[in-house]
Amino acid sequence: MAFGASRRILSYQFQGCFLARRGRGRYPYRLLYSPSPSSSLSYLFSTLDEPSNLFDGGVLGNGIQNQSTIDERFIIGELSDLLLANPYGSVPNTLKEKHTVKQMPIRAVDGFLRPEEKLRGVFLQKLNGKTAIEHALDSADVNLSLDVINEVLNTGSLGSEAMITFFYWAIKQPTIAEDTSSYNVILKALGRRRFFDSMMDVLHNMTRKGVNANIETVSIVVDSLVKAHQVSKALQLFRNLKEFGLKCDTETLNVILKCMCQRSHVGAASSFFNLIRKNVPFNAMTYNIILSGWSRHGRLSEVERVLNAMEGDGFSPDCLTYTYLLECLGRANRIDDAVKIFDKMNEKGCTPDVGAYNAMISNFICIGDLDECMTYYKRMLSNKCEPDMKTYSTLIIGFLKAKKVADALEMFDEMVVRVIPTTGAITSFIELCCSYGPPHAAMLIYKKARKVGCRISKNAYKLLMMRLSLFGKFGTLLNIWNEMQESGYDPDVETYEHAIDCLWKTGQLENAVLVMEECLRQGFFPSRQICSKLYNKLLASERIEMAYRLWLKIKVARQQENLQRRWRANGWHY
């Protein structure tokens, strides 16, 4: 009797832990069941307390059922739900009651899911026929928007047929317009998954329905093909643009060449550039695009050839042209020539802009001459050329890589006065600061960034916790944890691991065990390395019983982890 009761108690405990985790996790909702902290089940949530009476509040020690906690109507309701029978009505009403009773839990479970997950879940049911799928999508009761459509199409593992079926259902809804922007979403999703045949079918169907493609559409389709190294198909698309209501003009040519140069197909872009010279007129931007491609690879001879052709066609080099030339000279390790050309820009009627200054700053950082970098930075300010985000990022990263932290912090102070740092830039600064030395510099950048209203990424928070854990700064780590949650990020297994690692390093073993148990309650499973370190520390301090109880909990948690992996592998929701 005691063994059976303990099994029931364990099952209730896991239900409570699971629902509590979901309540504080990504899908907030009310806790349906939670054991009382004052009950005897509390010892199951902590290895630090002993059970006072295993059967308090459930089954009494003499085996008599406690009538105050289990109601007869509850048992009858559960049995009727299981047997699909109505305990209070007649037989003819069974189907009606069955529909009412069974639909409520389904709606409750769906309420825990995000809109895109509800819609993706329809395709996990493997329904037969397009009509059945569309009916199930209508029943999802979701406020549809382009953002939701984008999430459905770009996350998960839907096939091309399912993606197209969902999209054509979506554009029939009153909140979604059947326009070019909507079609660009599905084209981009299909191209990302390399469903090129389906992508071209949607493009042709879009034209048949009278929806005209635009430059963004061409850029999406061409970039998808070029990214997959299908350059010939991209060039054939350019020749057939009239089928989609577009012209083979300079604007579309520049889009094709830009996609090819950005994907490192500058050789094919240059050949196509020479081939189509007589059919499509060029402009200065066309030449600059080809120059940018060769400049990225440091091909100075090709840059000079294109530059001569540009001047031969009557186009004068602009600031963008000189920027690419300066970058190419720096990659070719010809810094002196870059300095001469930069000094002659004013003589040729082209005042250096922020791009040209950034190119010179990058060139001197590559050779480790930080003093000359600051010279060009001060020269930029004296000429009233406003630095941009790239200027400061290049300088700060250069100082941090050279381990000149004080100069980097001083430059960061100047940056926050002029521009608001981006989230990616802050993350890169903190990552470099956390690669060596104490976390003081990283914390200064973090605090100043938050003060000016910059959004901090979750990766930056985890980098700070990792470094604070290494130096045993648990108080500061806890503050970072709270600020991370205030920013809208939920803790994950890495954050719990950093907290556990910091606690056992500072000798706070009992708190480390409590954090480990909280991690398991939240449904996370720390790495075996963290578990082994905590075990060894507990055994070294002769807390064998505590270590054994913790081992039992982790053993059960590992079984739950394996089950969840199997659920996810089969595409099941929790």
Side-chain angles (χ1 to χ4, degrees):
M1 182 66 182
F3 178 75
S6 62
R7 292 182 62 181
R8 287 194 297 271
I9 291 171
L10 282 172
S11 65
Y12 293 152
Q13 179 245 338
F14 285 123
Q15 292 176 24
C17 292
F18 174 73
L19 293 173
R21 174 177 74 84
R22 305 309 295 171
R24 291 187 294 267
R26 188 171 60 178
Y27 312 114
Y29 57 89
R30 290 181 58 188
L31 186 62
L32 301 181
Y33 170 77
S34 179
S36 174
S38 61
S39 68
S40 61
L41 292 179
S42 63
Y43 90 97
L44 292 171
F45 293 99
S46 176
T47 59
L48 306 179
D49 299 326
E50 293 292 342
S52 58
N53 188 351
L54 178 62
F55 304 105
D56 288 348
V59 180
L60 298 179
N62 56 7
I64 300 175
Q65 190 79 15
N66 188 350
Q67 300 296 331
S68 63
T69 57
I70 300 180
D71 197 293
E72 181 180 355
R73 288 175 296 176
F74 172 77
I75 297 176
I76 294 175
E78 292 293 319
L79 289 174
S80 63
D81 187 30
L82 179 64
L83 300 175
L84 305 180
N86 182 12
Y88 305 111
S90 58
V91 175
N93 293 331
T94 302
L95 294 177
K96 181 178 179 181
E97 291 297 329
K98 169 186 172 182
H99 176 77
T100 305
V101 173
K102 296 304 291 182
Q103 287 299 323
M104 290 178 61
I106 293 174
R107 286 194 293 269
V109 172
D110 286 347
F112 305 151
L113 302 176
R114 294 183 296 180
E116 58 269 19
E117 290 176 336
K118 292 182 183 180
L119 296 172
R120 278 201 309 271
V122 170
F123 295 95
L124 298 177
Q125 302 174 21
K126 302 186 184 299
L127 300 174
N128 294 325
K130 188 178 296 184
T131 304
I133 294 175
E134 291 182 352
H135 178 71
L137 291 171
D138 290 331
S139 302
D141 192 21
V142 170
N143 293 327
L144 205 60
S145 64
L146 278 180
D147 293 334
V148 174
I149 294 175
N150 187 53
E151 287 293 327
V152 173
L153 296 174
N154 288 288
T155 55
S157 56
L158 295 181
S160 60
E161 185 177 353
M163 295 169 70
I164 293 174
T165 301
F166 168 74
F167 174 75
Y168 285 141
W169 168 83
I171 58 178
K172 295 178 184 178
Q173 308 307 308
T175 57
I176 302 300
E178 190 176 0
D179 56 5
T180 308
S181 301
S182 301
Y183 275 95
N184 287 344
V185 173
I186 181 65
L187 290 172
K188 189 172 184 178
L190 291 170
R192 184 184 66 85
R193 298 286 303 279
R194 300 193 177 189
F195 296 139
F196 298 126
D197 293 337
S198 301
M199 181 179 68
M200 298 306 298
D201 291 341
V202 171
L203 188 60
H204 283 96
N205 192 28
M206 168 184 175
T207 306
R208 285 194 294 268
K209 290 186 176 182
V211 181
N212 295 324
N214 56 15
I215 294 298
E216 184 182 0
T217 308
V218 176
S219 177
I220 290 171
V221 176
V222 171
D223 187 65
S224 300
L225 293 170
V226 173
K227 185 180 179 181
H229 305 287
Q230 298 192 17
V231 180
S232 59
K233 290 186 177 181
L235 298 179
Q236 186 63 34
L237 175 69
F238 175 76
R239 298 186 180 97
N240 299 332
L241 282 179
K242 292 182 180 179
E243 299 179 5
F244 309 107
L246 295 173
K247 297 180 180 180
C248 298
D249 55 6
T250 307
E251 188 177 12
T252 54
L253 175 63
N254 289 347
V255 170
I256 300 286
L257 295 177
K258 185 176 181 180
C259 292
M260 295 172 69
C261 290
Q262 287 179 343
R263 298 294 180 183
S264 299
H265 291 282
V266 61
S270 181
S271 299
F272 186 68
F273 171 83
N274 296 325
L275 182 64
I276 208 169
R277 177 187 294 270
K278 297 180 181 180
N279 300 326
V280 179
F282 295 164
N283 57 13
M285 181 57 66
T286 309
Y287 285 98
N288 285 336
I289 291 172
I290 300 297
L291 285 171
S292 69
W294 290 121
S295 174
R296 288 179 61 189
H297 295 277
R299 299 286 294 275
L300 184 58
S301 59
E302 295 293 339
V303 168
E304 292 175 347
R305 181 183 62 80
V306 175
L307 188 59
N308 293 330
M310 180 180 182
E311 293 176 345
D313 286 347
F315 296 103
S316 299
D318 54 10
C319 288
L320 188 59
T321 307
Y322 282 109
T323 298
Y324 292 138
L325 179 59
L326 294 173
E327 289 177 355
C328 185
L329 289 170
R331 291 186 174 98
N333 201 22
R334 294 175 58 176
I335 306 298
D336 294 337
D337 294 336
V339 172
K340 293 178 182 178
I341 291 176
F342 182 86
D343 293 338
K344 291 181 180 179
M345 285 181 64
N346 285 321
E347 298 178 3
K348 295 183 178 182
C350 185
T351 304
D353 61 356
V354 63
Y357 281 105
N358 289 343
M360 294 303 298
I361 290 173
S362 298
N363 290 342
F364 283 105
I365 282 182
C366 289
I367 62 175
D369 193 348
L370 297 177
D371 294 335
E372 198 66 25
C373 290
M374 291 303 299
T375 300
Y376 275 91
Y377 172 72
K378 294 175 181 178
R379 186 174 171 182
M380 179 193 306
L381 296 178
S382 62
N383 291 333
K384 297 182 179 180
C385 180
E386 192 68 22
D388 59 3
M389 189 65 217
K390 185 179 178 180
T391 309
Y392 288 109
S393 296
T394 304
L395 286 169
I396 293 172
I397 290 175
F399 283 128
L400 290 176
K401 286 184 177 179
K403 297 186 178 181
K404 294 187 175 182
V405 180
D407 294 331
L409 293 176
E410 183 180 353
M411 187 59 61
F412 185 80
D413 291 338
E414 294 186 24
M415 180 182 70
V416 296
V417 174
R418 297 177 180 271
V419 295
I420 297 179
T422 62
T423 303
I426 296 298
T427 304
S428 61
F429 300 158
I430 291 178
E431 184 176 8
L432 285 172
C433 290
C434 292
S435 62
Y436 58 86
H440 177 69
M443 288 299 300
L444 285 177
I445 291 177
Y446 163 75
K447 291 179 180 178
K448 292 176 181 178
R450 275 179 58 93
K451 188 176 181 180
V452 297
C454 178
R455 180 168 177 80
I456 311 298
S457 66
K458 187 174 183 179
N459 189 32
Y461 280 111
K462 292 195 287 188
L463 286 169
L464 288 171
M465 288 192 214
M466 178 269 295
R467 204 64 185 174
L468 292 168
S469 171
L470 186 64
F471 283 82
K473 305 288 186 181
F474 183 72
T476 309
L477 187 148
L478 189 59
N479 293 333
I480 295 295
W481 182 299
N482 294 331
E483 291 171 359
M484 180 186 72
Q485 290 184 310
E486 291 174 0
S487 300
Y489 299 117
D490 292 328
D492 56 13
V493 64
E494 293 182 29
T495 56
Y496 279 105
E497 286 179 352
H498 295 325
I500 294 169
D501 190 57
C502 183
L503 285 169
W504 76 260
K505 281 181 180 177
T506 55
Q508 303 182 46
L509 296 181
E510 293 185 357
N511 291 332
V513 171
L514 289 174
V515 174
M516 175 71 78
E517 293 171 350
E518 177 66 19
C519 179
L520 297 176
R521 279 200 298 273
Q522 296 290 344
F524 302 123
F525 311 100
S527 64
R528 299 183 184 275
Q529 183 180 9
I530 293 294
C531 294
S532 298
K533 288 181 178 179
L534 185 56
Y535 287 151
N536 295 335
K537 202 71 175 180
L538 288 171
L539 294 175
S541 62
E542 297 183 353
R543 302 184 185 184
I544 300 174
E545 186 176 359
M546 186 185 299
Y548 176 68
R549 290 178 180 173
L550 184 62
W551 176 81
L552 290 177
K553 290 188 177 183
I554 293 178
K555 180 181 177 181
V556 175
R558 292 292 177 191
Q559 295 174 354
Q560 297 295 320
E561 180 186 21
N562 294 334
L563 285 175
Q564 289 185 12
R565 287 178 178 175
R566 182 170 179 269
W567 296 341
R568 294 189 185 100
N570 287 277
W572 301 340
H573 291 298
Y574 296 125

